[in-house]
Amino acid sequence: MRALVMTAPGGAANSLVQEVGEPEPGPGQVTVDVAYAGLNFVDVMTRRGDAAYATDWPHRPGKEVSGTVRALGEGVTGLAVGDRVVAAPVGAGLAEAVVAEAALTVPLPDAVGLREAAAVPLGLATALLLLTDAGHFTAGDTVLVHSAGGGIGHALAQLVPLLGGGRLIGTVGRPDKASAVLASGYRHAFARDEDDEKLAEAVRTATGGRGVDLVLDPLGTETLDLDLAVAAPGARIVLFGNAGGGAVADLPPLARLMAGNLSVTGFSHRGLAATAPDRLARAVRRVVGLLADGGLELPVTELPGLAAVPAAHDAMEERRATGKYVVRVGG
Ligand SMILES: NC(=O)c1ccc[n+]([C@@H]2O[C@H](COP(=O)([O-])OP(=O)(O)OC[C@H]3O[C@@H](n4cnc5c(N)ncnc54)[C@H](OP(=O)(O)O)[C@@H]3O)[C@@H](O)[C@H]2O)c1
């Protein structure tokens, strides 16, 4: 079968579509024939060689797929060969078939298309968990999202109205991405090319001086001072990435958190998949339900095949990409 293989850390030149062996499910696992796979920034961080992603090379990327169950491993119940599913494999999902834990494989109702479903196991589930479990979002909250123009940013714009509505403020690395952010449902979009004080002032003004209730920040600690500067009393700041890949600073002094009744917390999809798969699967099921009801629609850009993925990873790495990308793999 064919799969995307990252041969060594680097750029697109090291990402090749190659013939690889067919995967076999172990106990508690299933093999999924992949119809569509989602692209995620973690693939880019991995190929860049960021610490703690790929431990050996060549590496097989891909952490979210939709498709049909091809085979069941020992002890798997509740799933059958031929079921339409979404799954969050540990990796290797950018391939014609992949093995995933049955605990992280969720059946799809007929009403949900395989194309849109490929954005669920990592992208949409992460966006939901950032708002709910990690961010304690309540209807009416003002939410500041950094890197709002990407897959997670767009997913958040779809989910906030379904959770009761709120005021979304996004930041982007390049001014030309602001229009896509506004079109996706954000009320304000600011480029991070200004100095932090001017940006903080713009965010405060956008909130009538009150500040934001929730910050969703995938930028390591690059913008943590800004987050603290615009946090309303009682705000939650969720750190969920390190897009720049550099060293991260210490967390803020206790006194600053106590004075503002602020909380800073972390979120990791990979951590949840490893330690609390039931919580992750619950989020996947909830998102699938929202898609089936017709309440949730996430526009996706479809790539025609695995060979198109390295160029899309380039666009993500160079900050040119907007929205969510999925690749058509099988029938
Ligand atoms: N913790 C978790 O479990 C988890 C799960 C999913 C995603 N994430 C994180 O959430 C973020 C969004 O993920 P996504 O898959 O939807 O990707 P994405 O937003 O489609 O693409 C990544 C974005 O990161 C921003 N970025 C900031 N600094 C960058 C740098 N130095 N180099 C390249 N890009 C940079 C760029 O947007 P701007 O320039 O506009 O900021 C870029 O478009 C990523 O940082 C990802 O790692 C975390």
Side-chain angles (χ1 to χ4, degrees), residues 59-162:
H59 174 79
R60 298 263 313 277
K63 288 178 170 290
E64 62 179 348
V65 301
S66 63
T68 51
V69 174
R70 176 198 287 189
L72 303 177
E74 193 186 321
V76 172
T77 55
L79 290 166
V81 171
D83 280 356
R84 297 166 79 250
V85 292
V86 287
V90 175
L94 285 159
E96 288 175 334
V98 67
V99 162
E101 296 299 321
L104 290 172
T105 302
V106 170
L108 273 184
D110 290 342
V112 181
L114 289 166
R115 189 172 80 122
E116 58 187 327
V120 172
L122 202 166
L124 275 161
T126 291
L128 179 67
L129 287 162
L130 286 172
L131 288 167
T132 56
D133 289 32
H136 303 290
F137 173 86
T138 51
D141 275 354
T142 298
V143 186
L144 174 65
V145 179
H146 295 304
S147 298
I152 296 288
H154 276 59
L156 290 164
Q158 299 303 312
L159 287 167
V160 160
L162 296 176

Side-chain angles (χ1 to χ4, degrees), residues 39-42 45 48 122 126 147 150-152 171-174 177 192 218-219 240-241 243-244 267-270 316-317 319 321 323:
L39 273 62
N40 289 284
F41 196 65
V42 66
M45 298 173 84
R48 218 165 50 178
L122 202 166
T126 291
S147 298
I152 296 288
T171 76
V172 285
R174 295 164 37 137
K177 285 158 81 170
R192 297 191 307 277
L219 299 175
F240 69 104
F267 174 83
S268 163
H269 180 279
R270 179 168 57 161
M316 292 169 86
E317 183 163 7
R319 305 176 176 214

Side-chain angles (χ1 to χ4, degrees), residues 4-331:
L4 191 75
V5 179
M6 294 176 169
T7 56
N14 294 346
S15 287
L16 306 173
V17 179
Q18 294 184 340
E19 280 296 321
V20 301
E22 297 286 344
E24 296 293 339
Q29 297 179 327
V30 300
T31 302
V32 177
D33 280 319
V34 177
Y36 288 87
L39 273 62
N40 289 284
F41 196 65
V42 66
D43 309 331
V44 173
M45 298 173 84
T46 304
R47 81 173 195 175
R48 218 165 50 178
D50 286 15
Y53 289 96
T55 46
D56 50 17
W57 302 85
H59 174 79
R60 298 263 313 277
K63 288 178 170 290
E64 62 179 348
V65 301
S66 63
T68 51
V69 174
R70 176 198 287 189
L72 303 177
E74 193 186 321
V76 172
T77 55
L79 290 166
V81 171
D83 280 356
R84 297 166 79 250
V85 292
V86 287
V90 175
L94 285 159
E96 288 175 334
V98 67
V99 162
E101 296 299 321
L104 290 172
T105 302
V106 170
L108 273 184
D110 290 342
V112 181
L114 289 166
R115 189 172 80 122
E116 58 187 327
V120 172
L122 202 166
L124 275 161
T126 291
L128 179 67
L129 287 162
L130 286 172
L131 288 167
T132 56
D133 289 32
H136 303 290
F137 173 86
T138 51
D141 275 354
T142 298
V143 186
L144 174 65
V145 179
H146 295 304
S147 298
I152 296 288
H154 276 59
L156 290 164
Q158 299 303 312
L159 287 167
V160 160
L162 296 176
L163 297 179
R167 179 197 297 253
L168 277 163
I169 302 172
T171 76
V172 285
R174 295 164 37 137
D176 58 330
K177 285 158 81 170
S179 55
V181 170
L182 293 172
S184 75
Y186 285 72
R187 197 174 300 187
H188 304 275
F190 300 115
R192 297 191 307 277
D193 56 354
E194 304 207 7
D195 68 54
D196 265 15
E197 190 37 54
K198 276 193 186 152
L199 186 52
E201 198 46 47
V203 172
R204 276 193 225 100
T205 303
T207 62
R210 190 180 158 273
V212 303
D213 303 298
L214 173 59
V215 185
L216 300 177
D217 183 345
L219 299 175
T221 48
E222 271 172 43
T223 45
L224 188 51
D225 277 337
L226 168 72
D227 299 345
L228 291 162
V230 300
R236 293 84 62 201
I237 298 169
V238 183
L239 304 178
F240 69 104
N242 185 18
V248 290
D250 290 340
L251 289 179
L254 179 64
R256 200 164 173 188
L257 298 180
M258 285 175 62
N261 284 283
L262 305 178
S263 60
V264 177
T265 186
F267 174 83
S268 163
H269 180 279
R270 179 168 57 161
L272 267 190
T275 60
D278 50 325
R279 276 173 60 195
L280 181 52
R282 199 161 53 235
V284 171
R285 278 194 294 273
R286 186 168 172 197
V287 173
V288 166
L290 291 169
L291 286 169
D293 292 347
L296 174 62
E297 273 181 48
L298 181 70
V300 295
T301 300
E302 177 177 332
L303 305 176
L306 290 172
V309 171
H313 282 159
D314 282 348
M316 292 169 86
E317 183 163 7
E318 292 159 14
R319 305 176 176 214
R320 290 181 282 112
T322 51
K324 178 72 181 180
Y325 290 77
V326 301
V327 57
R328 186 185 177 107
V329 182

